[in-house]
Amino acid sequence: MKHVGEQGWTLVEVLLILFVLGLMAAIALPALSVLGERAEREMFLDSLATQIQLAQLEAVSRESEVSLFLNPREIEVYQGEEEIRTIPVPDKYRLASNYKGNQVIFRETGQVQGGTIRILSAEKLVGKLVIQVASGRPKAELMP
């Protein structure tokens, strides 16, 4: 029973509020973790698509073939025998493709054979880049 002028929370009210806040945090944290992983995958997929477009532009501007060698841990970009750059693949991901010898070749016109680059995490498909026939435009698809 409260007396006149008495203010504050009872111990039961404080414990109940802490319990509800803890329950809400326990429910929200796994969802936030999944959102963070998804955002990381999306950023990597977009970066990879940008690198593929850059290789295509380099082939056209240099008027020579530009090749991408898709290794599980990195992508090597070559113009003829000269290595232009290496693009690392984050440790948690691995690349696989249906390109012969895991090699994507952009002709001096920018054209390329169509195909798919798959991004795997723990051998599970988490995303893919579909490179369209002839135009060479990459289309990124994020798996749920």
Side-chain angles (χ1 to χ4, degrees), residues 115-132:
T116 303
I117 300 170
R118 296 178 310 281
I119 293 104
L120 306 167
S121 178
E123 300 308 314
K124 178 184 173 202
L125 182 65
V126 295
K128 64 182 177 178
L129 263 176
V130 178
I131 301 176
Q132 297 174 358

Side-chain angles (χ1 to χ4, degrees), residues 10-122:
T10 65
L11 182 59
V12 172
E13 290 171 329
V14 171
L15 290 176
L16 185 58
I17 289 170
L18 289 175
F19 174 75
V20 170
L21 289 174
L23 188 62
M24 289 171 55
I27 291 170
L29 284 178
L32 291 175
S33 172
V34 168
L35 285 176
E37 289 175 16
R38 184 175 175 86
E40 180 186 16
R41 275 186 306 188
E42 190 171 0
M43 282 182 11
F44 174 62
L45 206 53
D46 288 344
S47 171
L48 190 56
T50 301
Q51 291 294 332
I52 289 170
Q53 288 175 325
L54 180 59
Q56 182 183 33
L57 289 172
E58 287 172 333
V60 172
S61 67
R62 295 173 186 226
E63 296 180 348
S64 73
E65 286 187 354
V66 173
S67 302
L68 283 83
F69 291 93
L70 306 170
N71 302 316
R73 294 274 154 232
E74 65 186 7
I75 300 170
E76 297 171 331
V77 183
Y78 283 86
Q79 177 193 6
E81 299 293 319
E82 177 189 352
E83 183 175 352
I84 299 172
R85 70 183 163 282
T86 300
I87 305 153
V89 175
D91 289 337
K92 63 176 16 175
Y93 303 121
R94 186 176 70 76
L95 298 180
S97 78
N98 64 349
Y99 283 98
K100 184 178 181 181
N102 282 327
Q103 183 180 10
V104 182
I105 302 172
F106 286 99
R107 305 284 180 231
E108 51 275 344
T109 59
Q111 291 185 320
V112 67
Q113 177 185 352
T116 303
I117 300 170
R118 296 178 310 281
I119 293 104
L120 306 167
S121 178

